[in-house]
Amino acid sequence: MSTPATTATTERARFAGLLAPSERDPAPVSDPAAQRGLRRETVLVLGVSLGSSAVYAVLSIIEKLTRPTPLSQQTTAMNQSATPGRPWLDLAYQLAGIVLPLVAVALALYLLNHIHRPAGDVRAGHFVGFDRREPGRDALRGLGLAAVIGIPGLGFYFLAKAIGINTQVSAANLEAVWWSAPVLVLAAIENAVLEEVIMVGYLFTRWRQSGWSWPLVIGLSAVIRGSYHLYQGFGGFAGNIVMGLVLGLVFVRTRRVMPLVVCHAILDTVAFVGYSVLQARGISL
């Protein structure tokens, strides 16, 4: 019969095995100056993408906390119409807001093309698993992850709102036009690609090249992920840290970003489109 100490030792061994060096690891950089250069590069990439979002999110939560209204009684509106009453111009704004952030993804993949990779990985997308080589397996993993993360995550959202540490999140606020649902789906996919390719595929690769340990890489990425969700409240911050830890461990296990993209896209699509449907029926979350 196994004892608690034996079980704990076994779990630690499994965790250590998960984070052990692999042939899928990028070639490390030994020169200290080159390591510092890689870290500066990650700061610059974050500065033109999700890092700047984190700065604005911190300012947003400060602004919300300094209002006379309690945090739990405030509403955070997402996916809003840019030009109400002018649907075609609004559509152009929405599509620009979806496409332009993806330039940062292209930049990250371009930079990753300049690393030593296994012979079969001819592009950076292949190296981090952002490709279509395993569509069935990626879809199944993504669906499973979405269930594992999404159901408890919804419960945590209601708990965080109930105890006063989160705002009410209004996830979809587009006008009722024919293109609203497709645009919400595209926005969900854009969020998924932007966050998972940069926060996991790119940062994990660069930070490991620069000599950082897996626990540091996974933990720091998760904290940054949580920070750019602070505009929702502290529930969004904590929940996304947990999500970042889970997805980070899955990436280390599989070395594929696509399951994470599928998972994230499903979660955001359900949140955006589902909220829009409930709102149209007069049901409030």
Side-chain angles (χ1 to χ4, degrees), residues 169-208:
V169 178
S170 178
N173 297 275
L174 297 176
E175 293 189 319
V177 290
W178 66 268
W179 50 257
S180 60
V183 161
L184 290 173
V185 173
L186 289 175
I189 295 172
E190 178 262 320
N191 286 346
V193 172
L194 176 66
E195 294 189 38
E196 305 313 329
V197 172
I198 291 181
M199 296 308 303
V200 180
Y202 169 75
L203 287 181
F204 279 33
T205 301
R206 280 304 198 221
W207 284 342
R208 283 291 286 173

Side-chain angles (χ1 to χ4, degrees), residues 13 46 110 192:
L46 284 171
Y110 173 80

Side-chain angles (χ1 to χ4, degrees), residues 17 52 130:
S52 60
F130 184 58

Side-chain angles (χ1 to χ4, degrees), residues 115-272:
I115 65 173
H116 174 70
R117 299 184 296 276
D121 294 317
V122 295
R123 295 195 303 269
H126 286 177
F127 181 71
V128 299
F130 184 58
D131 54 43
R132 295 177 291 177
R133 288 186 292 181
E134 301 179 17
R137 184 176 297 179
D138 290 339
L140 288 175
R141 284 172 174 165
L143 283 167
L145 281 170
V148 168
I149 294 172
I151 296 172
L154 184 60
F156 182 73
Y157 164 73
F158 286 119
L159 174 64
K161 196 172 67 165
I163 64 177
I165 64 171
N166 214 72
T167 62
Q168 164 136 0
V169 178
S170 178
N173 297 275
L174 297 176
E175 293 189 319
V177 290
W178 66 268
W179 50 257
S180 60
V183 161
L184 290 173
V185 173
L186 289 175
I189 295 172
E190 178 262 320
N191 286 346
V193 172
L194 176 66
E195 294 189 38
E196 305 313 329
V197 172
I198 291 181
M199 296 308 303
V200 180
Y202 169 75
L203 287 181
F204 279 33
T205 301
R206 280 304 198 221
W207 284 342
R208 283 291 286 173
Q209 277 187 289
S210 69
W212 285 0
S213 67
W214 273 126
L216 176 58
V217 168
I218 296 170
L220 181 56
S221 174
V223 170
I224 296 173
R225 184 190 293 263
S227 68
Y228 58 73
H229 288 90
L230 266 171
Y231 67 92
Q232 300 175 7
F234 296 105
F237 173 70
N240 277 278
I241 287 180
V242 174
M243 178 177 172
L245 293 173
V246 172
L247 296 185
L249 287 171
V250 170
F251 176 78
V252 173
R253 172 75 175 180
T254 64
R255 303 303 168 96
R256 291 193 59 76
V257 164
M258 281 305 294
L260 316 187
V261 172
V262 172
C263 166
H264 198 143
I266 291 172
L267 292 175
D268 279 10
T269 298
V270 171
F272 297 166

Side-chain angles (χ1 to χ4, degrees), residues 5-40:
T6 303
T7 302
T9 302
T10 302
E11 291 302 317
R12 284 196 295 270
R14 287 177 179 173
F15 185 74
L18 176 65
L19 302 183
S22 163
E23 63 180 12
R24 298 289 300 165
D25 283 339
V29 174
S30 57
D31 178 47
Q35 290 179 346
R36 289 192 296 271
L38 290 178
R39 292 168 192 160
R40 292 192 192 102

